Amino acid sequence: MNRIRKGDRVIVTTGKDKGKQGEVVRVLGEKVVVSNINIVKRHTKPNPQAGQPGGVIEREAPIHISNVMLFNPATGKGERIGFKVLEDGRKLRVFRSSGEAVDA
């Protein structure tokens, strides 16, 4: 079970976008793609078969999962995540500081 999943609201802890918040669009192993974070310019050739125009396209690049923290709306900060195993065997993500469930 990953600590960060698609749809989570995260805050960037290091790099050029430090302090910015966004939503996780994709999880790629040890990296995540966050909306409107780590924007890079990609020079692409036109592809008429796919209907893609050429030019400079801005898109989000992956960022390492260790450089983001899950955002806790109760405290307004990024916080670490731990796991709690329930009696029926399910794992639950919890905030380490307060112990409250993330997926409530």
Side-chain angles (χ1 to χ4, degrees):
M1 178 185 259
N2 284 337
R3 296 178 192 281
I4 295 183
R5 297 184 196 156
K6 178 181 176 180
D8 284 345
R9 190 131 188 94
V10 294
I11 187 164
V12 180
T13 57
T14 58
K16 65 179 183 180
D17 293 319
K18 180 177 180 177
K20 291 185 182 176
Q21 294 178 26
E23 189 172 314
V24 175
V25 179
R26 274 187 318 211
V27 178
L28 308 165
E30 288 291 309
K31 297 192 174 199
V32 291
V33 177
V34 183
S35 62
N36 297 322
I37 302 291
N38 199 19
I39 300 291
V40 294
K41 291 183 188 302
R42 174 128 172 99
H43 296 71
T44 55
K45 287 175 124 177
N47 186 351
Q49 292 174 335
Q52 291 179 339
V56 181
I57 297 171
E58 289 190 346
R59 65 184 190 114
E60 296 112 356
I63 183 171
H64 199 271
I65 207 163
S66 66
N67 296 333
V68 296
M69 290 180 95
L70 203 61
F71 182 73
N72 187 352
T75 61
K77 298 181 193 174
E79 294 197 12
R80 296 187 303 159
I81 300 297
F83 293 102
K84 190 178 188 180
V85 180
L86 302 176
E87 286 111 20
D88 58 356
R90 290 185 296 136
K91 277 173 102 175
L92 188 68
R93 294 187 301 166
V94 295
F95 288 113
R96 288 255 178 102
S97 62
S98 61
E100 68 179 69
V102 176
D103 315 307

XYZ file of all heavy atoms in Angstrom:
797
model
N 0.848 -1.186 0.000
C 0.000 0.000 0.000
C 0.891 1.247 0.000
O 1.803 1.362 0.804
C -0.892 -0.008 1.246
C -1.777 1.207 1.347
S -2.699 1.254 2.876
C -4.261 0.700 2.311
N 0.624 2.142 -0.923
C 1.419 3.364 -1.014
C 0.947 4.402 -0.010
O -0.230 4.471 0.324
C 1.322 3.953 -2.418
C 2.151 3.192 -3.410
O 3.101 2.518 -3.044
N 1.801 3.291 -4.667
N 1.877 5.237 0.398
C 1.538 6.325 1.300
C 0.808 7.433 0.558
O -0.010 8.130 1.133
C 2.801 6.885 1.939
C 3.503 5.878 2.811
C 4.776 6.437 3.399
N 5.577 5.389 4.010
C 5.351 4.871 5.194
N 4.338 5.282 5.907
N 6.122 3.934 5.675
N 1.115 7.591 -0.718
C 0.469 8.630 -1.528
C -0.212 7.963 -2.709
O 0.380 7.124 -3.382
C 1.511 9.667 -1.984
C 2.054 10.376 -0.755
C 0.905 10.636 -2.973
C 3.031 11.456 -1.003
N -1.457 8.343 -2.960
C -2.257 7.741 -4.018
C -2.799 8.806 -4.953
O -2.775 9.995 -4.644
C -3.461 7.011 -3.421
C -3.133 5.881 -2.531
C -4.423 5.221 -2.116
N -4.218 4.352 -0.977
C -5.160 4.012 -0.143
N -6.373 4.485 -0.279
N -4.905 3.207 0.857
N -3.343 8.352 -6.071
C -3.970 9.246 -7.032
C -5.156 9.948 -6.365
O -5.938 9.328 -5.645
C -4.454 8.426 -8.238
C -5.166 9.223 -9.279
C -5.628 8.323 -10.408
C -6.438 9.094 -11.406
N -6.905 8.259 -12.504
N -5.259 11.248 -6.603
C -6.351 12.025 -6.029
C -6.023 12.682 -4.707
O -6.789 13.517 -4.229
N -4.889 12.335 -4.095
C -4.485 12.946 -2.824
C -4.046 14.387 -3.040
O -3.470 14.714 -4.067
C -3.319 12.178 -2.193
C -3.748 10.878 -1.549
O -4.954 10.686 -1.333
O -2.860 10.050 -1.265
N -4.306 15.229 -2.062
C -3.817 16.613 -2.084
C -2.469 16.624 -1.378
O -2.361 16.189 -0.240
C -4.809 17.513 -1.362
C -4.528 18.957 -1.531
C -5.823 19.684 -1.951
N -5.539 21.042 -2.305
C -5.310 21.435 -3.557
N -5.361 20.569 -4.526
N -5.053 22.683 -3.831
N -1.428 17.084 -2.082
C -0.080 17.054 -1.534
C 0.535 18.448 -1.562
O 0.073 19.334 -2.283
C 0.846 16.073 -2.305
C 0.391 14.652 -2.127
C 0.940 16.444 -3.761
N 1.589 18.633 -0.761
C 2.351 19.872 -0.732
C 3.805 19.499 -1.034
O 4.304 18.484 -0.557
C 2.192 20.584 0.628
C 2.828 21.954 0.606
C 2.725 19.767 1.763
C 2.397 22.844 1.752
N 4.466 20.310 -1.869
C 5.844 20.041 -2.277
C 6.784 20.552 -1.185
O 6.649 21.685 -0.724
C 6.151 20.717 -3.629
C 7.574 20.435 -4.060
C 5.175 20.245 -4.690
N 7.752 19.717 -0.781
C 8.641 20.070 0.333
C 9.998 20.591 -0.129
O 10.659 21.289 0.630
C 8.871 18.854 1.247
O 9.413 17.789 0.463
C 7.585 18.416 1.890
N 10.435 20.251 -1.338
C 11.742 20.706 -1.826
C 11.657 21.052 -3.307
O 10.729 20.670 -3.996
C 12.823 19.618 -1.665
O 12.408 18.465 -2.378
C 13.069 19.285 -0.230
N 12.675 21.791 -3.769
C 12.779 22.098 -5.191
C 12.214 23.455 -5.543
O 11.861 24.260 -4.673
N 12.098 23.702 -6.856
C 11.676 25.016 -7.338
C 10.219 25.321 -7.005
O 9.835 26.478 -6.963
C 11.897 25.128 -8.848
C 11.051 24.185 -9.669
C 11.278 24.359 -11.146
C 10.345 23.439 -11.918
N 10.517 23.548 -13.346
N 9.412 24.301 -6.769
C 7.995 24.496 -6.462
C 7.693 24.296 -4.979
O 6.554 23.988 -4.609
C 7.140 23.532 -7.294
C 7.199 23.846 -8.775
O 7.176 25.048 -9.113
O 7.262 22.916 -9.588
N 8.682 24.489 -4.114
C 8.507 24.263 -2.684
C 7.371 25.121 -2.134
O 7.271 26.312 -2.420
C 9.797 24.621 -1.946
C 9.732 24.424 -0.459
C 11.055 24.731 0.195
C 10.970 24.527 1.692
N 12.252 24.749 2.335
N 6.478 24.478 -1.351
C 5.364 25.183 -0.737
C 4.080 25.152 -1.547
O 3.026 25.472 -1.022
N 4.156 24.769 -2.808
C 2.958 24.728 -3.646
C 2.162 23.463 -3.371
O 2.716 22.438 -2.994
C 3.325 24.781 -5.131
C 3.886 26.109 -5.569
C 4.106 26.103 -7.068
C 4.710 27.409 -7.543
N 5.004 27.356 -8.989
N 0.852 23.560 -3.588
C -0.031 22.417 -3.388
C -0.637 21.999 -4.713
O -0.799 22.814 -5.615
C -1.182 22.786 -2.452
C -0.777 23.099 -1.055
C -1.970 23.496 -0.224
O -3.080 23.094 -0.517
N -1.734 24.279 0.802
N -0.978 20.727 -4.802
C -1.633 20.209 -5.992
C -2.202 18.838 -5.726
O -2.007 18.261 -4.649
N -2.904 18.318 -6.721
C -3.520 17.007 -6.605
C -2.722 16.006 -7.422
O -2.270 16.314 -8.532
C -4.957 17.062 -7.123
C -5.738 15.818 -6.856
C -7.207 15.989 -7.212
O -7.780 17.007 -6.830
O -7.741 15.091 -7.870
N -2.547 14.808 -6.888
C -1.789 13.772 -7.583
C -2.623 13.267 -8.763
O -3.763 12.828 -8.595
C -1.432 12.610 -6.631
C -0.747 11.475 -7.373
C -0.559 13.103 -5.497
N -2.028 13.361 -9.966
C -2.697 12.923 -11.181
C -2.389 11.459 -11.466
O -3.272 10.686 -11.835
C -2.262 13.791 -12.382
C -2.930 13.342 -13.653
C -2.551 15.252 -12.108
N -1.104 11.082 -11.292
C -0.664 9.710 -11.551
C 0.424 9.335 -10.571
O 1.181 10.195 -10.120
C -0.062 9.602 -12.946
C -1.031 9.346 -14.043
C -0.306 9.085 -15.337
N 0.805 10.004 -15.507
C 1.233 10.437 -16.681
N 0.657 10.052 -17.764
N 2.257 11.269 -16.764
N 0.512 8.039 -10.267
C 1.611 7.516 -9.460
C 2.387 6.569 -10.363
O 1.837 5.629 -10.918
C 1.098 6.760 -8.209
C 2.256 6.180 -7.425
C 0.280 7.689 -7.340
N 3.696 6.846 -10.517
C 4.561 6.048 -11.391
C 5.673 5.426 -10.549
O 6.799 5.913 -10.554
C 5.176 6.935 -12.483
C 4.196 7.781 -13.301
C 4.924 8.847 -14.065
C 3.424 6.881 -14.243
N 5.368 4.402 -9.803
C 6.372 3.752 -8.954
C 6.818 4.676 -7.836
O 6.050 4.996 -6.930
N 8.076 5.137 -7.906
C 8.627 6.023 -6.883
C 8.397 7.495 -7.210
O 8.888 8.353 -6.490
C 10.131 5.767 -6.741
C 10.456 4.453 -6.069
C 10.080 4.452 -4.607
O 10.466 5.376 -3.875
O 9.378 3.516 -4.191
N 7.704 7.789 -8.286
C 7.471 9.176 -8.684
C 5.976 9.437 -8.804
O 5.188 8.520 -8.997
C 8.159 9.471 -10.011
C 9.664 9.334 -9.907
C 10.356 9.893 -11.104
C 11.851 9.863 -10.850
N 12.562 10.763 -11.715
N 5.607 10.715 -8.666
C 4.214 11.125 -8.816
C 4.142 12.323 -9.759
O 5.079 13.111 -9.835
C 3.567 11.496 -7.460
C 3.382 10.282 -6.596
C 4.362 12.552 -6.736
N 3.023 12.433 -10.462
C 2.754 13.595 -11.295
C 1.681 14.396 -10.569
O 0.601 13.878 -10.267
C 2.269 13.178 -12.699
C 1.927 14.396 -13.530
C 3.334 12.341 -13.395
N 2.007 15.666 -10.263
C 1.105 16.526 -9.499
C 0.626 17.643 -10.420
O 1.408 18.212 -11.181
C 1.827 17.122 -8.266
C 0.879 17.942 -7.430
C 2.443 16.018 -7.431
N -0.666 17.954 -10.356
C -1.238 18.973 -11.238
C -0.618 20.344 -10.969
O -0.505 20.773 -9.821
C -2.755 19.040 -11.059
O -3.075 19.413 -9.748
N -0.183 21.005 -12.041
C 0.399 22.351 -12.029
C 1.681 22.459 -11.201
O 2.021 23.537 -10.732
C -0.617 23.397 -11.555
C -1.798 23.478 -12.496
O -1.639 23.380 -13.707
N -2.984 23.627 -11.943
N 2.401 21.356 -11.016
C 3.677 21.359 -10.305
C 4.735 20.767 -11.237
O 4.468 19.825 -11.972
C 3.594 20.505 -9.011
C 2.494 21.014 -8.089
C 4.922 20.457 -8.297
C 2.755 22.346 -7.453
N 5.952 21.310 -11.178
C 7.078 20.850 -11.976
C 6.759 20.929 -13.473
O 6.930 19.968 -14.212
C 7.486 19.427 -11.576
C 8.887 19.077 -12.009
O 9.694 19.956 -12.286
N 9.169 17.792 -12.071
N 6.315 22.095 -13.907
C 5.974 22.319 -15.305
C 7.261 22.439 -16.122
O 8.155 23.208 -15.766
C 5.130 23.608 -15.465
C 3.834 23.501 -14.656
C 4.834 23.889 -16.921
C 2.844 22.516 -15.163
N 7.352 21.658 -17.205
C 8.511 21.704 -18.093
C 8.030 21.971 -19.508
O 6.883 21.684 -19.862
C 9.326 20.389 -18.043
C 9.948 20.195 -16.684
C 8.479 19.207 -18.431
N 8.921 22.528 -20.332
C 8.620 22.770 -21.736
C 9.156 21.597 -22.540
O 10.315 21.218 -22.398
C 9.274 24.065 -22.200
C 8.668 25.294 -21.582
C 9.321 26.535 -22.156
C 8.919 27.809 -21.476
N 7.529 28.099 -21.459
N 8.318 21.032 -23.377
C 8.705 19.903 -24.217
C 8.574 20.316 -25.669
O 7.486 20.719 -26.098
C 7.814 18.710 -23.906
C 8.018 17.545 -24.812
C 8.249 16.283 -24.006
N 8.264 15.129 -24.905
C 9.384 14.584 -25.340
N 10.537 15.072 -24.985
N 9.345 13.542 -26.132
N 9.666 20.217 -26.425
C 9.658 20.555 -27.844
C 9.246 19.313 -28.623
O 9.971 18.310 -28.607
C 11.034 21.044 -28.285
C 11.448 22.310 -27.618
N 11.796 22.372 -26.284
C 11.536 23.570 -28.084
C 12.100 23.617 -25.968
N 11.959 24.368 -27.051
N 8.107 19.358 -29.279
C 7.588 18.177 -29.954
C 7.459 18.423 -31.448
O 7.170 19.541 -31.891
C 6.208 17.773 -29.405
O 5.335 18.890 -29.491
C 6.298 17.309 -27.981
N 7.662 17.363 -32.220
C 7.460 17.414 -33.660
C 5.986 17.183 -33.939
O 5.315 16.471 -33.188
C 8.268 16.311 -34.338
C 9.752 16.558 -34.383
C 10.447 15.362 -34.969
C 11.275 15.774 -36.158
N 12.029 14.632 -36.712
N 5.469 17.741 -35.024
C 4.067 17.471 -35.350
C 3.871 16.014 -35.773
O 4.737 15.422 -36.390
C 3.777 18.424 -36.501
C 5.079 18.881 -37.009
C 6.087 18.686 -35.926
N 2.740 15.458 -35.390
C 2.377 14.096 -35.767
C 0.981 14.147 -36.382
O -0.024 14.106 -35.668
C 2.410 13.184 -34.540
C 2.182 11.733 -34.883
O 1.827 11.400 -36.011
N 2.385 10.866 -33.908
N 0.903 14.238 -37.715
C -0.413 14.374 -38.356
C -1.310 13.154 -38.157
O -2.527 13.281 -38.114
C -0.081 14.546 -39.843
C 1.383 14.707 -39.952
C 1.993 14.286 -38.663
N -0.716 11.971 -37.986
C -1.538 10.767 -37.807
C -2.285 10.799 -36.479
O -3.414 10.347 -36.379
C -0.657 9.519 -37.870
C -0.082 9.282 -39.259
C 0.900 8.130 -39.268
O 1.496 7.803 -38.249
N 1.075 7.535 -40.440
N -1.643 11.338 -35.444
C -2.287 11.432 -34.128
C -2.996 12.766 -33.961
O -3.649 12.998 -32.937
C -1.261 11.245 -33.026
N -2.838 13.669 -34.938
C -3.497 14.974 -34.843
C -2.811 15.922 -33.872
O -3.441 16.831 -33.348
N -1.497 15.713 -33.632
C -0.773 16.564 -32.692
C -0.033 17.660 -33.455
O 0.733 17.355 -34.370
C 0.252 15.748 -31.907
C -0.351 14.777 -30.938
C 0.727 13.983 -30.216
O 1.846 13.876 -30.674
N 0.349 13.412 -29.076
N -0.245 18.909 -33.079
C 0.559 19.973 -33.686
C 1.951 19.999 -33.059
O 2.142 19.550 -31.935
C -0.224 21.237 -33.335
C -0.920 20.890 -32.071
C -1.234 19.413 -32.144
N 2.913 20.531 -33.795
C 4.259 20.653 -33.258
C 4.396 21.927 -32.453
O 3.492 22.756 -32.409
N 5.531 22.092 -31.822
C 5.789 23.308 -31.062
C 6.233 23.010 -29.648
O 6.544 21.878 -29.292
N 6.238 24.045 -28.834
C 6.651 23.924 -27.441
C 5.404 23.700 -26.599
O 4.502 24.537 -26.572
C 7.410 25.178 -26.981
C 7.845 25.034 -25.536
C 8.599 25.432 -27.879
N 5.361 22.572 -25.901
C 4.199 22.206 -25.086
C 4.628 22.195 -23.626
O 5.673 21.634 -23.280
C 3.663 20.818 -25.495
C 3.174 20.867 -26.946
C 2.554 20.371 -24.558
C 2.831 19.525 -27.519
N 3.831 22.817 -22.770
C 4.111 22.779 -21.327
C 3.298 21.652 -20.708
O 2.107 21.520 -20.977
C 3.737 24.106 -20.681
C 4.672 25.229 -21.042
C 4.440 26.468 -20.209
O 3.388 26.553 -19.541
O 5.310 27.349 -20.220
N 3.976 20.854 -19.880
C 3.287 19.751 -19.206
C 3.959 19.479 -17.875
O 5.057 19.967 -17.607
C 3.274 18.498 -20.060
C 4.628 17.910 -20.320
C 4.535 16.720 -21.258
N 5.815 16.040 -21.303
C 6.014 14.823 -20.860
N 5.036 14.130 -20.329
N 7.210 14.267 -20.934
N 3.282 18.672 -17.039
C 3.830 18.341 -15.729
C 4.805 17.178 -15.862
O 4.501 16.192 -16.520
C 2.713 17.931 -14.763
C 1.730 19.021 -14.457
C 0.353 18.745 -15.023
O 0.178 17.734 -15.725
O -0.543 19.550 -14.771
N 5.953 17.307 -15.223
C 6.937 16.221 -15.189
C 6.807 15.508 -13.843
O 6.349 16.102 -12.856
C 8.343 16.776 -15.364
N 7.213 14.236 -13.785
C 7.151 13.520 -12.508
C 8.102 14.115 -11.475
O 9.135 14.675 -11.806
C 7.589 12.099 -12.872
C 7.429 11.996 -14.336
C 7.622 13.365 -14.883
N 7.720 13.986 -10.212
C 8.525 14.448 -9.084
C 8.645 13.264 -8.124
O 7.708 12.468 -7.997
C 7.869 15.681 -8.426
C 8.707 16.234 -7.300
C 6.483 15.400 -7.953
C 8.197 17.576 -6.779
N 9.804 13.133 -7.478
C 10.009 11.986 -6.599
C 9.051 12.042 -5.413
O 8.760 13.118 -4.880
C 11.460 11.926 -6.109
C 11.838 10.582 -5.589
N 11.667 10.225 -4.274
C 12.341 9.491 -6.216
C 12.068 8.974 -4.102
N 12.486 8.503 -5.274
N 8.594 10.875 -5.007
C 7.567 10.778 -3.964
C 8.078 11.275 -2.610
O 7.294 11.701 -1.764
C 7.055 9.319 -3.890
C 5.640 9.264 -3.364
C 7.976 8.448 -3.084
C 4.946 7.968 -3.644
N 9.422 11.272 -2.423
C 9.975 11.749 -1.161
C 9.955 13.266 -1.062
O 10.177 13.817 0.013
C 11.415 11.258 -1.000
O 12.251 11.855 -1.975
N 9.695 13.953 -2.163
C 9.676 15.414 -2.174
C 8.282 16.001 -2.005
O 8.098 17.209 -2.159
C 10.304 15.941 -3.471
C 11.755 15.578 -3.571
O 12.429 15.402 -2.563
N 12.257 15.434 -4.776
N 7.306 15.169 -1.710
C 5.946 15.647 -1.446
C 5.449 15.047 -0.135
O 5.887 13.975 0.268
C 4.952 15.302 -2.587
C 5.334 16.005 -3.866
C 4.858 13.823 -2.810
N 4.544 15.782 0.523
C 3.905 15.294 1.745
C 2.403 15.442 1.586
O 1.934 16.379 0.945
C 4.337 16.113 2.956
C 5.755 15.919 3.383
S 6.126 16.924 4.814
C 5.839 15.755 6.113
N 1.683 14.539 2.188
C 0.227 14.616 2.157
C -0.232 15.823 2.959
O 0.277 16.082 4.046
C -0.360 13.335 2.742
C -1.774 12.995 2.322
C -1.855 12.801 0.823
C -2.235 11.744 3.009
N -1.168 16.578 2.400
C -1.659 17.801 3.031
C -2.769 17.451 4.005
O -3.722 16.760 3.664
C -2.172 18.762 1.959
C -2.661 20.069 2.496
C -1.781 21.021 2.969
C -4.020 20.354 2.535
C -2.228 22.228 3.461
C -4.481 21.557 3.025
C -3.578 22.496 3.490
N -2.641 17.950 5.244
C -3.666 17.730 6.271
C -4.511 18.995 6.362
O -4.038 20.032 6.829
C -3.007 17.423 7.619
C -4.012 17.030 8.676
O -5.215 17.126 8.470
N -3.516 16.576 9.806
N -5.783 18.954 5.935
C -6.615 20.158 5.977
C -6.916 20.639 7.395
O -7.174 21.817 7.610
C -7.904 19.747 5.262
C -7.866 18.279 5.119
C -6.474 17.823 5.332
N -6.840 19.752 8.371
C -7.132 20.149 9.749
C -6.052 21.086 10.296
O -6.357 22.055 10.990
C -7.244 18.907 10.634
N -4.778 20.817 9.965
C -3.689 21.652 10.460
C -3.199 22.646 9.427
O -2.523 23.611 9.778
C -2.498 20.773 10.894
O -2.035 20.043 9.754
C -2.882 19.833 12.005
N -3.501 22.400 8.146
C -3.046 23.290 7.083
C -1.593 23.081 6.709
O -0.980 23.952 6.110
N -1.030 21.926 7.059
C 0.368 21.628 6.770
C 0.493 20.259 6.112
O -0.447 19.469 6.129
C 1.186 21.577 8.070
C 1.246 22.836 8.860
C 2.113 22.595 10.080
C 1.982 23.714 11.084
N 2.721 23.406 12.309
N 1.694 19.991 5.588
C 1.995 18.658 5.100
C 2.407 17.791 6.272
O 3.121 18.244 7.166
N 1.958 16.536 6.272
C 2.270 15.659 7.403
C 2.676 14.278 6.940
O 2.335 13.851 5.844
C 1.057 15.558 8.335
C 0.747 16.877 8.982
C -0.146 16.752 10.195
O -0.344 15.637 10.676
O -0.620 17.795 10.643
N 3.397 13.587 7.830
C 3.841 12.232 7.533
C 2.674 11.265 7.686
O 1.715 11.520 8.403
C 4.974 11.836 8.466
C 6.200 12.701 8.259
C 7.372 12.208 9.065
N 7.051 12.134 10.483
C 7.703 11.395 11.355
N 8.695 10.646 10.962
N 7.373 11.400 12.621
N 2.815 10.122 7.009
C 1.754 9.128 6.973
C 2.247 7.838 7.621
O 3.372 7.410 7.400
C 1.350 8.827 5.515
C 0.844 10.088 4.831
C 0.301 7.736 5.437
C -0.386 10.659 5.447
N 1.381 7.242 8.412
C 1.657 5.933 8.989
C 0.517 4.990 8.644
O -0.461 5.387 8.004
N 0.638 3.760 9.057
C -0.393 2.763 8.786
C -0.897 2.166 10.085
O -0.151 2.031 11.047
C 0.150 1.642 7.891
C 0.480 2.109 6.517
C 1.784 2.342 6.147
C -0.512 2.323 5.588
C 2.101 2.777 4.883
C -0.217 2.767 4.317
C 1.095 2.988 3.956
N -2.172 1.823 10.081
C -2.800 1.188 11.234
C -3.554 -0.024 10.688
O -4.273 0.097 9.701
C -3.767 2.185 11.868
C -4.328 1.787 13.193
C -5.210 2.914 13.688
C -5.652 2.688 15.102
N -6.507 3.777 15.572
N -3.362 -1.177 11.308
C -4.053 -2.378 10.873
C -5.283 -2.558 11.754
O -5.178 -2.604 12.983
C -3.132 -3.619 10.966
C -3.875 -4.861 10.517
C -1.885 -3.405 10.126
N -6.434 -2.629 11.119
C -7.693 -2.803 11.852
C -7.878 -4.267 12.245
O -7.164 -5.150 11.781
C -8.861 -2.317 10.988
C -8.782 -0.861 10.528
C -9.937 -0.545 9.608
C -8.788 0.083 11.713
N -8.880 -4.535 13.088
C -9.115 -5.897 13.563
C -9.486 -6.858 12.444
O -9.179 -8.046 12.503
C -10.231 -5.912 14.624
C -9.812 -5.370 15.957
C -10.486 -4.057 16.266
O -11.521 -3.747 15.658
O -9.950 -3.327 17.119
N -10.172 -6.340 11.399
C -10.572 -7.217 10.297
C -9.445 -7.415 9.278
O -9.655 -8.031 8.239
C -11.831 -6.698 9.611
C -11.675 -5.284 9.074
O -10.613 -4.687 9.300
O -12.615 -4.788 8.429
N -8.253 -6.878 9.550
C -7.099 -7.110 8.688
C -6.829 -6.021 7.665
O -5.833 -6.075 6.959
N -7.710 -5.024 7.557
C -7.504 -3.951 6.582
C -6.473 -2.964 7.099
O -6.374 -2.709 8.292
C -8.820 -3.214 6.305
C -9.816 -4.042 5.547
C -11.048 -3.232 5.188
N -11.753 -2.826 6.395
C -12.241 -1.592 6.598
N -12.129 -0.677 5.682
N -12.863 -1.290 7.713
N -5.686 -2.400 6.157
C -4.722 -1.365 6.511
C -5.361 -0.008 6.269
O -6.100 0.178 5.316
C -3.477 -1.484 5.627
C -2.480 -2.499 6.111
C -1.394 -2.668 5.091
C -0.163 -1.915 5.508
N 0.963 -2.145 4.583
N -5.050 0.929 7.143
C -5.626 2.263 7.070
C -4.503 3.282 7.159
O -3.610 3.156 7.993
C -6.612 2.441 8.240
C -7.457 3.688 8.259
C -8.467 3.659 7.113
C -8.200 3.784 9.572
N -4.532 4.282 6.291
C -3.531 5.352 6.364
C -3.955 6.355 7.423
O -5.106 6.767 7.466
C -3.414 6.073 5.019
C -2.878 5.217 3.916
C -2.617 6.020 2.666
N -3.814 6.683 2.175
C -3.819 7.654 1.260
N -2.703 8.069 0.738
N -4.953 8.195 0.856
N -3.015 6.752 8.265
C -3.290 7.719 9.331
C -2.192 8.771 9.355
O -1.059 8.514 8.942
C -3.396 7.050 10.725
C -4.575 6.118 10.802
C -2.127 6.325 11.086
N -2.536 9.974 9.820
C -1.535 11.012 10.021
C -0.753 10.676 11.276
O -1.328 10.347 12.306
C -2.196 12.390 10.159
C -2.755 12.915 8.870
C -4.121 13.065 8.698
C -1.918 13.271 7.821
C -4.639 13.560 7.515
C -2.424 13.765 6.644
C -3.782 13.910 6.479
N 0.579 10.780 11.205
C 1.426 10.411 12.336
C 1.233 11.353 13.521
O 1.306 10.937 14.677
C 2.889 10.439 11.921
C 3.285 9.317 11.005
C 4.100 8.280 11.745
N 4.437 7.171 10.882
C 5.610 7.004 10.328
N 6.571 7.887 10.535
N 5.861 5.966 9.582
N 1.004 12.642 13.251
C 0.932 13.605 14.352
C -0.325 13.408 15.196
O -0.267 13.417 16.421
C 0.973 15.026 13.803
O -0.148 15.244 12.966
N -1.471 13.245 14.537
C -2.731 13.179 15.268
C -3.301 11.777 15.370
O -4.109 11.499 16.244
C -3.763 14.098 14.615
O -4.006 13.672 13.282
N -2.923 10.894 14.463
C -3.472 9.539 14.453
C -4.819 9.431 13.778
O -5.414 8.365 13.750
N -5.310 10.540 13.215
C -6.625 10.495 12.558
C -6.485 9.881 11.165
O -5.442 9.976 10.526
C -7.256 11.878 12.468
C -6.556 12.821 11.538
C -7.238 14.184 11.475
O -7.174 14.904 12.477
O -7.809 14.486 10.428
N -7.546 9.222 10.710
C -7.525 8.507 9.431
C -7.506 9.485 8.262
O -8.156 10.530 8.290
C -8.721 7.596 9.325
N -6.757 9.126 7.224
C -6.682 9.946 6.016
C -7.905 9.713 5.153
O -8.496 10.644 4.620
C -5.400 9.604 5.208
C -5.365 10.373 3.908
C -4.181 9.908 6.047
N -8.319 8.458 5.008
C -9.418 8.084 4.109
C -10.751 8.001 4.826
O -11.528 7.110 4.579
C -9.110 6.728 3.478
C -7.685 6.645 2.989
O -7.289 7.537 2.240
O -6.993 5.680 3.359
N -11.008 8.941 5.704
C -12.246 8.865 6.496
C -13.478 9.140 5.667
O -13.474 9.791 4.703
C -12.192 9.850 7.652
